[in-house]
Amino acid sequence: MTKFSTRWSLACVALASAFSVHAQTGSTLEKIQQQGKVTIGVRESSAPMAYALGSHAQFVGYHVELCEKVLARIVPQAKIEYMAMTAQNTLPLVQNGTVDMGCGPTTNNLSRQKQVSFAVTTYVSEVRMAVRADSLITSFKQLDGKTVAASAGTTAVQLLRKFSKDHNVNLPTQLGKDHFESFMMLEAGRAEAFVLDDNLLAGVIANSKDPQGYKIVGEVLGSEPIALLFRKDDPSFKKAVDDVLVSMMKSGEVAQIYDKWFVQPIPPKNMSLNLPMGDTLKQLLQAPNDKPLEAYSL
């Protein structure tokens, strides 16, 4: 290697390091304004919160639309780019600044708050299970010794372990890489139940080959606050996002968007999830907050 190429390589490393430092210390708003674009993290199989449509991978959903509307108001000139994420890599990609805002169904809890920041809560889910329509299972206790499907990286996994320990039942759990893979275990008979947030279960069932062939049953393992997320220690960006969301909540716009995705027919099959807004979320829209999971009674 020549002296010139060595100096050039060192210069590139220094430039990359400087950019990385700026990405972590500069505000997200500054970064977006400088680059003229904003990257949002979405999911491919988390209907109705965030999911892909068609071969061109158009991303839609309740949280995707909230993200788009928030960004249109705080950085109207920025081009929105979409990055597909999984439950496992969401926090790292948001934490390191690869993604400016996570728009999937991510639970706000104390552990995650050490890594990222959350906006005010925009959904409260209830973790339950999907079973085949002809199944006699109505309680998690009936799953003792039976295979249960769950998606890797979701809080449902921890809640299953807690239920198993608290009630002295054996719940052998098989993990899918995403919700489609987890549902396929139930569909193929390799699992007796698929455990996940009720809204996501409803979305997967509605988009399945046989929407009438499955039902959501069982005790509520936990109520979970779901929120948009972004890099930690960036109060200006959090305030900008929260201010817009609170304004949309007070105007009734969030309720309208909720109705569009949870009550009205949604693509690709134009089926309704029939999940009217619950009382907890209605109260949150009146008094918005960003309290973590631990603040909720389980």
Side-chain angles (χ1 to χ4, degrees):
M1 182 179 289
T2 65
K3 290 183 178 179
F4 175 78
S5 61
T6 300
R7 288 196 299 270
W8 176 253
S9 297
L10 291 172
C12 288
V13 171
L15 183 61
S17 297
F19 180 80
S20 177
V21 170
H22 174 76
Q24 295 301 318
T25 58
S27 77
T28 303
L29 287 173
E30 289 174 352
K31 174 190 170 188
I32 294 171
Q33 289 164 355
Q34 289 173 4
Q35 297 183 352
K37 67 177 184 178
V38 54
T39 302
I40 67 173
V42 292
R43 299 282 183 88
E44 295 181 298
S45 60
S46 293
M49 303 292 279
Y51 62 108
L53 276 183
S55 58
H56 296 292
Q58 173 191 359
F59 293 98
V60 298
Y62 174 63
H63 258 192
V64 174
E65 185 166 344
L66 285 181
C67 271
E68 291 170 341
K69 289 186 179 296
V70 167
L71 292 170
R73 298 185 192 185
I74 61 178
V75 284
Q77 304 304 319
K79 176 186 176 183
I80 297 179
E81 295 186 350
Y82 302 80
M83 178 176 288
M85 304 191 300
T86 65
Q88 302 98 302
N89 66 20
T90 291
L91 295 187
L93 290 174
V94 171
Q95 191 175 23
N96 67 21
T98 301
V99 167
D100 298 307
M101 185 185 297
C103 305
T106 306
T107 299
N108 174 2
N109 62 31
L110 288 176
S111 174
R112 290 171 175 172
Q113 283 188 4
K114 295 176 182 178
Q115 303 173 68
V116 297
S117 287
F118 288 89
V120 292
T121 298
T122 40
Y123 187 79
V124 178
S125 67
E126 292 183 339
V127 177
R128 301 178 69 198
M129 63 174 154
V131 298
R132 288 178 289 279
D134 59 359
S135 173
L136 299 179
I137 293 172
T138 58
S139 168
F140 283 94
K141 293 179 181 178
Q142 294 172 273
L143 291 171
D144 191 15
K146 296 180 172 63
T147 300
V148 180
S151 299
T154 61
T155 53
V157 178
Q158 289 94 38
L159 289 169
L160 275 169
R161 290 172 183 160
K162 183 178 185 299
F163 186 92
S164 176
K165 181 180 179 181
D166 291 348
H167 296 86
N168 193 30
V169 293
N170 178 28
L171 300 175
T173 305
Q174 292 292 322
L175 300 181
K177 67 179 180 180
D178 57 28
H179 305 329
F180 281 152
E181 186 171 285
S182 301
F183 183 75
M184 283 177 61
M185 296 182 204
L186 174 63
E187 198 173 39
R190 300 198 306 272
E192 294 296 323
F194 172 27
V195 181
L196 190 66
D197 302 8
D198 55 356
N199 60 307
L200 300 180
L201 287 175
V204 172
I205 290 171
N207 289 310
S208 70
K209 298 174 185 176
D210 179 20
Q212 305 304 318
Y214 306 90
K215 59 187 178 182
I216 298 173
V217 299
E219 309 90 323
V220 175
L221 291 188
S223 298
E224 305 191 1
I226 310 296
L228 309 181
L229 63 153
F230 26 79
R231 185 160 59 83
K232 193 173 175 61
D233 301 324
D234 190 352
S236 62
F237 190 64
K238 174 173 170 54
K239 184 178 188 306
V241 173
D242 282 349
D243 284 350
V244 174
L245 285 173
V246 170
S247 174
M248 292 172 65
M249 289 174 179
K250 293 186 181 301
S251 71
E253 188 173 0
V254 169
Q256 292 175 355
I257 297 171
Y258 179 97
D259 185 77
K260 172 182 174 180
W261 292 102
F262 289 90
V263 181
Q264 303 302 319
I266 62 173
K269 296 191 174 183
N270 292 319
M271 290 191 63
S272 170
L273 303 188
N274 293 314
L275 282 176
M277 187 180 293
D279 290 339
T280 303
L281 184 55
K282 287 180 181 178
Q283 293 169 10
L284 278 170
L285 297 191
Q286 297 299 316
N289 67 66
D290 58 1
K291 292 179 180 179
L293 169 66
E294 290 76 7
Y296 287 66
S297 57
L298 302 181

